[in-house]
DNA sequence: CGCACCATGTAATGCGTTACATGATTTT
DNA sequence: AAAATCATGTAACGCATTACATGGTGCG
């Protein structure tokens, strides 16, 4: 699956593994993330398949860069995947919710501390969607006017991330209120 | 991580791998899922660690059952994990959103079909949270009145799933409207 | 008659993370 | 002086999925 995310970025322009990582972090990280090491591994296997090719660009003051380019076969494979109907629900792994599921076994104070910590994290994430992510989409769109339609899609996915964090913050706040309002045993 | 979900269920009562799978499907599947084969593998490694023990219950008309019981060490390990502050955001892998991110490259009709399909799936999931999941929590709470506090937590996690699906449905509906309102090129 | 349910497990494979290894330049 | 950025990669490990293997009972 990661291979399609990588191919997707390479449809815009050739780039290095390092740059792909940066793009992911700035745009898709809230619904699709990846570690740098895994990106390098996946690029290599894409090259073995013939879906991308790579050339070395030598540099003197920086390490050499390996620039990956998508091949026609890769283009084709990516398009096929993109158009393919997706008929499942994406599997979720939400550690906080799992902990809460069993947290009746804990004292309220520990649970409240846990929730407060997560509230802070999600609030930070929310404000990042409202600021950094908005800006990075707008600057890409301004720089390349041909990508206007793409930018509208990117904005829609950003909005998904924002709505998700709003929901998370609301849920945690409700949990905190509910726990505080309950008689201690 | 799955090991803690399994231990969590075993704190309520001893049970088989098969039963753990059923419990997961009925209660935590929307934020924590697992395949049966992985549950068996994890139970075995928990037994090697000494966190659970197992006994065989012979049956004549059905296959024998291996019943797992949590040990004091396992109890301790589970409690430690539960009380541990969770300081990250859970990583997400949302295939639909990833596809949408790149879908400016597709014609609107294909995108609309994709969205409509997912809308149906999420609406079904939503109504399941409002019906089956509500009932299964209530029947567990009625059967074991001592679990009242637990049931309140289960209900909170169910509510999270419901809110999440409401968000998803809303987002897809907005996407459909936006795409329909755009001039075709 | 076929499908779903009960019930457990192994083998092969794939995907992902963490740690390791290197090393100059730029920013704080 | 320390940390972050640029830049690539491998090795070991862990976790998860898919396929394989078995086989009786109960329901529609």
């Amino acid at each position: 699956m990661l291979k399609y995310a990588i191919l997707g970025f390479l449809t815009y322009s050739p780039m290095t593994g390092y740059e792909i990582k940066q793009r992911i972090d700035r745009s898709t990280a809230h619904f699709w993330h990846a570690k740098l090491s895994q990106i390098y591994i996946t690029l290599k296997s894409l090259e073995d398949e013939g879906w991308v090719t790579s050339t070395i660009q030598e540099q003197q003051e920086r390490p050499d860069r390996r620039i990956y380019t998508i091949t026609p076969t890769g283009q084709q494979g990516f398009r096929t995947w993109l158009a393919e109907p997706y008929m499942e629900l994406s599997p979720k792994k939400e550690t906080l919710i799992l902990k809460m599921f069993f947290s009746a076994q804990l004292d309220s104070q520990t649970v409240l501390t846990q929730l407060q910590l997560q509230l802070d994290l999600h609030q930070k994430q929310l404000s990042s969607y409202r600021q950094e992510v908005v800006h990075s989409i707008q600057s890409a769109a301004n720089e390349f006017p041909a990508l206007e339609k793409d930018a509208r899609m990117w904005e829609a996915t950003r909005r998904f991330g924002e709505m998700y964090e709003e929901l998370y913050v609301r849920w945690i706040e409700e949990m905190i209120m509910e726990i505080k309002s309950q008689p201690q045993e």
Side-chain angles (χ1 to χ4, degrees), chain A:
Chain A
M1 199 87 306
L2 172 59
K3 70 188 233 181
Y4 294 110
I6 290 173
L7 288 169
F9 284 109
L10 292 179
T11 61
Y12 292 111
S13 95
M15 63 185 96
T16 67
Y18 195 86
E19 283 172 322
I20 291 169
K21 169 64 172 163
Q22 291 180 320
R23 298 285 196 103
I24 289 176
D25 287 347
R26 280 190 223 120
S27 57
T28 75
H30 50 296
F31 53 88
W32 207 274
H33 67 98
K35 305 266 156 155
L36 197 44
S37 66
Q38 185 63 16
I39 291 170
Y40 287 125
I41 291 165
T42 307
L43 279 167
K44 191 175 228 179
S45 79
L46 280 169
E47 196 166 20
D48 292 343
E49 272 184 290
W51 288 30
V52 303
T53 53
S54 74
T55 51
I56 297 278
Q57 184 193 2
E58 275 166 52
Q59 298 193 127
Q60 46 274 68
E61 293 173 357
R62 295 268 167 209
D64 293 352
R65 313 164 87 229
R66 181 178 290 273
I67 297 165
Y68 287 92
T69 305
I70 191 166
T71 64
T73 319
Q75 287 273 3
Q76 185 52 52
F78 177 69
R79 288 300 180 100
T80 302
W81 170 79
L82 198 56
E84 213 161 72
Y86 178 60
M87 296 184 291
E88 288 134 64
L89 301 170
S90 292
K92 264 147 261 151
K93 300 258 160 142
E94 278 290 343
T95 303
L96 177 70
I97 314 294
L98 183 64
K99 287 198 177 203
M100 286 303 131
F101 187 84
F102 295 116
S103 282
Q105 308 184 20
L106 289 178
D107 62 295
S108 322
Q109 198 43 61
T110 308
V111 180
L112 286 172
T113 307
Q114 183 72 273
L115 288 168
Q116 192 57 56
L117 174 67
Q118 282 282 316
L119 183 59
D120 291 349
L121 287 172
H122 284 283
Q123 272 165 342
K124 277 194 192 100
Q125 188 66 29
L126 178 55
S127 81
S128 144
Y129 289 147
R130 288 174 174 167
Q131 292 166 39
E132 289 93 312
V133 183
V134 174
H135 295 146
S136 84
I137 290 171
Q138 287 197 330
S139 68
N142 292 342
E143 211 179 335
F144 306 102
L147 298 182
E148 192 212 323
K149 198 181 166 194
D150 299 76
R152 253 183 280 134
M153 284 298 193
W154 302 340
E155 166 59 20
T157 65
R158 183 205 66 81
R159 176 84 189 121
F160 181 85
E162 187 184 2
M163 286 163 82
Y164 180 72
E165 292 301 334
E166 283 167 356
L167 174 156
Y168 226 119
V169 165
R170 207 183 326 131
W171 184 79
I172 295 176
E173 284 171 349
E174 283 172 15
M175 282 289 282
I176 290 175
M177 282 194 297
E178 201 188 316
I179 290 170
K180 281 190 176 160
S181 75
Q182 271 160 31
Q184 315 288 304
E185 75 277 10

